[in-house]
Amino acid sequence: MQLKNNVTEFVLLGLTQDPTRKKIVFVIFLIFYLGILLGNSLIIVTIKASRALGSPMYFFLFHLSVYDACYSTSIAPRMIADALLKNATISFSECMIQVFTFHFFGCLEILILVLMAVDRYVAICKPLHYTTIMSHRVCGVLMSLTWLGSCVHSSAQIFLVLSLPFCGPNVIDHYFCDLQPLLKLACTDTYVTNFLLVSNSGAICTVSFVMLVLSYAVILHSLRNHSAEGRKKALSTCISHNIVVILFFGPCIFIYTRPAITFSMDKMIAVFYTIGTPLFNPLIYTLRNAEVKNALRMLWSKKLMPGDKR
């Protein structure tokens, strides 16, 4: 007998239920979200305005910044607004939209990080063939494939959720809709669904992380044949990428590669990859990248001295 879905909305408990702490959450995460939008917008504008940042690496960094802004926007605005409410609710359809957009942009971010690692591998290990392999046409095709892959992934997530019956319990002990908290509310055995979840989200996170680690290991090994200056520049870029990879993939693997159980610390861990990574990415890529810093200086010098045309 197939169970009916009687739930029309979910109650989100957020990070805390304490009224004073909810106000602190509102202020802190509003600042964080504005920082995400400002930092990523700055990188987007800088790359678009600077001719010096025309290489494939900055093409991918541009898209990473766009996806970071969209990724955090799928979660942060509602989380911030809910912190002002006594009882925060989200309709079933809005919850499904949030699951889709969150996983869509999250998967895009994972695939972009993989492409950035591939770009660095080709640039460092096959420098003579770099412009041929990483041409504008190839980069465009790779970006199209990331969109296709993300769409397939997020559609599969939605299919998994819609296949679950929700008969009564509707309180989500989280600050956004995601599969793990929703599995806990389903009034059926979720063993198979959780297995499919691990096979989908968990596999994407783990396989991508292993690929990234292996690619950077090969890159570091090949740097022995480069000059001291070349090694320094390559290491600076690779270290930036690795910091981003660890910040993003560590929490993701912890959340999405385990059985359908939830821990009290899950919400704080989720903050790292939903808010922390989009916030830190612009800082990491700007502070550790001389070309981006120089492009920023040039951009601001033009803005401050617009009449310098003789």
Side-chain angles (χ1 to χ4, degrees), residues 33 36-37 39-41 43-44 47 58-76 100-116 139-151 244 248 273-275 277-279 281-282:
Y33 181 56
I36 289 168
L37 295 181
N40 285 290
S41 297
I43 286 184
I44 291 166
I47 293 173
Y58 297 110
F59 172 79
F60 294 133
L61 179 56
F62 172 86
H63 284 90
L64 178 66
S65 295
V66 172
Y67 300 153
D68 269 340
C70 295
Y71 177 62
S72 60
T73 299
S74 69
I75 303 294
F100 181 88
T101 54
F102 169 69
H103 281 275
F104 179 76
F105 288 110
C107 187
L108 274 177
E109 181 153 350
I110 288 172
L111 296 177
I112 282 288
L113 289 172
V114 172
L115 290 182
M116 291 175 81
C139 291
V141 170
L142 290 173
M143 286 305 307
S144 300
L145 289 175
T146 63
W147 275 75
L148 178 62
S150 298
C151 199
V244 171
F248 186 77
Y273 61 86
T274 57
I275 305 295
T277 304
L279 179 65
N281 278 0

Side-chain angles (χ1 to χ4, degrees), residues 46-96:
T46 302
I47 293 173
K48 269 294 181 185
S50 175
R51 293 180 182 177
L53 304 179
S55 68
M57 184 177 78
Y58 297 110
F59 172 79
F60 294 133
L61 179 56
F62 172 86
H63 284 90
L64 178 66
S65 295
V66 172
Y67 300 153
D68 269 340
C70 295
Y71 177 62
S72 60
T73 299
S74 69
I75 303 294
R78 184 172 195 96
M79 172 197 181
I80 293 164
D82 287 348
L84 296 175
L85 303 175
K86 186 177 181 181
N87 296 308
T89 60
I90 183 170
S91 69
F92 186 87
S93 58
E94 286 177 315
C95 184
M96 296 305 103

Side-chain angles (χ1 to χ4, degrees), residues 7 9-14 17 82 86-91 169-175 177 185:
V7 174
E9 67 176 17
F10 295 101
V11 177
L12 295 170
L13 294 184
Q17 284 293 289
D82 287 348
K86 186 177 181 181
N87 296 308
T89 60
I90 183 170
S91 69
N170 69 335
V171 178
I172 298 176
D173 188 13
H174 216 305
Y175 60 88
C177 285
L185 301 180

